[in-house]
Amino acid sequence: LCGMGLNACLDKARLVKSGAFDFDGTLHPYNTWALAGQRLPAHLKEKDAAIRRWYWEQLHSSTPRVSLDDPDWFHGHMSPGNQAAVDGAWVANDVHWYVEAGLTSHDFVKIADALGSREGASELLLMMNERVIITFGIEDVVKQWLYNRRIISAVAGTRLTFDSDGHLTGHHPNVVASGTKRYAADRFREITGLRDEQVLVIGDSVVDVHMMRPGGFNILLLPPREADKKLQDFRENNLTSMWDRLTAILVSDSLMPLVNLLMHARI
């Protein structure tokens, strides 16, 4: 769905040289943190699931009215302005549990091997002169996923650390949270010297729209089975203020329509 019309969309597509990509939900349909959580023992798996449930509930609930006598007057609800701090704490908790469970680098290789990809993901990545994957996910998994497909790309994600035997020891302090994405995309443009109109940005969530600039070629991916939920997210996060950044909405489980559009534009 291209709001400016097909010909205008093709004109913008002809200028695209490079791309910035979300990972979870975009290049593949899964969540890397959830898949890593499946490797935890039962007691840690429940802790991991409880934080994930709380987090997603907070994204879709209003601030409750309480008094200062309630010990959860602050901690009981996540302010949107504090989301980056909560994201970082979530990462720290998860990695702590992975260490406690004795996960190794081989576990994360297996996670990447099992991910699969959306149809057209490799083709789309390989159409770009420069490419970056920016994810609120695990950098090591993304790099293995790319290696499996013989694709070279810059990556910004939460980077795990391992000892000489491959046992997980922690993570790099500069974690990538939801709010980091826009800054990573800006840094990509700065390093490459690319103009806004030369950069394709694609993602499937509100935070991915923050990577986009109004002059760029910006695609919002909406898998059909998730469309209602995703659109609700945008209604709650003021989609109208972001609308001028979107070039088109791709309602599909496949990235091939976008690949075909870019190929047609380059003829």
Side-chain angles (χ1 to χ4, degrees), residues 26 57 65 95 177 235 237 239 261:
T26 299
E57 287 170 1
R65 291 192 175 187
V95 174
R235 282 192 289 270
N237 287 276
L239 174 61
L261 177 72

Coordinates of all heavy atoms in Angstrom, one line a residue, residues 26 57 65 95 177 235 237 239 261:
T26 N 10.8 -9.0 11.3 CA 11.0 -8.4 9.9 C 11.7 -9.3 9.0 O 11.2 -9.8 8.0 CB 11.7 -7.0 10.0 OG1 11.0 -6.1 10.8 CG2 11.9 -6.4 8.7
E57 N 2.2 -6.2 28.7 CA 1.0 -5.7 29.3 C 1.1 -4.2 29.6 O 0.2 -3.4 29.4 CB 0.7 -6.4 30.7 CG 0.2 -7.8 30.5 CD 0.1 -8.6 31.8 OE1 0.5 -8.0 32.9 OE2 -0.3 -9.7 31.8
R65 N -4.5 4.8 38.9 CA -4.5 5.8 39.9 C -4.3 5.1 41.3 O -5.1 4.3 41.7 CB -5.9 6.6 39.9 CG -6.1 7.5 38.7 CD -7.2 8.4 38.9 NE -7.4 9.3 37.8 CZ -8.2 10.3 37.8 NH1 -9.0 10.5 38.8 NH2 -8.3 11.1 36.7
V95 N 20.1 -12.1 30.5 CA 21.5 -12.5 30.4 C 22.0 -13.2 31.7 O 22.7 -14.2 31.7 CB 22.4 -11.4 29.9 CG1 23.9 -11.9 29.9 CG2 22.0 -10.9 28.5
A177 N 18.5 -1.0 23.1 CA 17.1 -1.1 23.5 C 16.2 -0.5 22.4 O 16.7 0.0 21.4 CB 16.9 -0.3 24.8
R235 N -2.0 3.1 16.8 CA -3.1 4.0 17.3 C -2.7 4.5 18.7 O -2.9 5.7 19.0 CB -4.4 3.3 17.3 CG -5.1 3.2 15.9 CD -6.5 2.8 16.0 NE -6.7 1.4 16.4 CZ -6.7 0.4 15.5 NH1 -6.6 0.6 14.2 NH2 -6.9 -0.8 16.0
N237 N 0.2 4.8 19.9 CA 1.5 5.5 19.9 C 1.5 6.6 18.9 O 2.5 7.0 18.4 CB 2.6 4.5 19.6 CG 2.9 3.7 20.8 OD1 3.6 4.0 21.7 ND2 2.3 2.5 20.8
L239 N 0.1 7.2 15.5 CA 0.6 6.9 14.2 C 0.6 8.2 13.3 O 1.4 8.3 12.4 CB -0.3 5.8 13.5 CG 0.0 5.5 12.0 CD1 1.4 5.0 11.9 CD2 -1.0 4.5 11.5
L261 N 9.5 -4.9 -6.4 CA 9.3 -3.4 -6.6 C 10.7 -2.8 -6.8 O 10.8 -2.0 -7.8 CB 8.7 -2.8 -5.4 CG 8.5 -1.3 -5.4 CD1 7.4 -0.9 -6.5 CD2 8.1 -0.7 -4.1

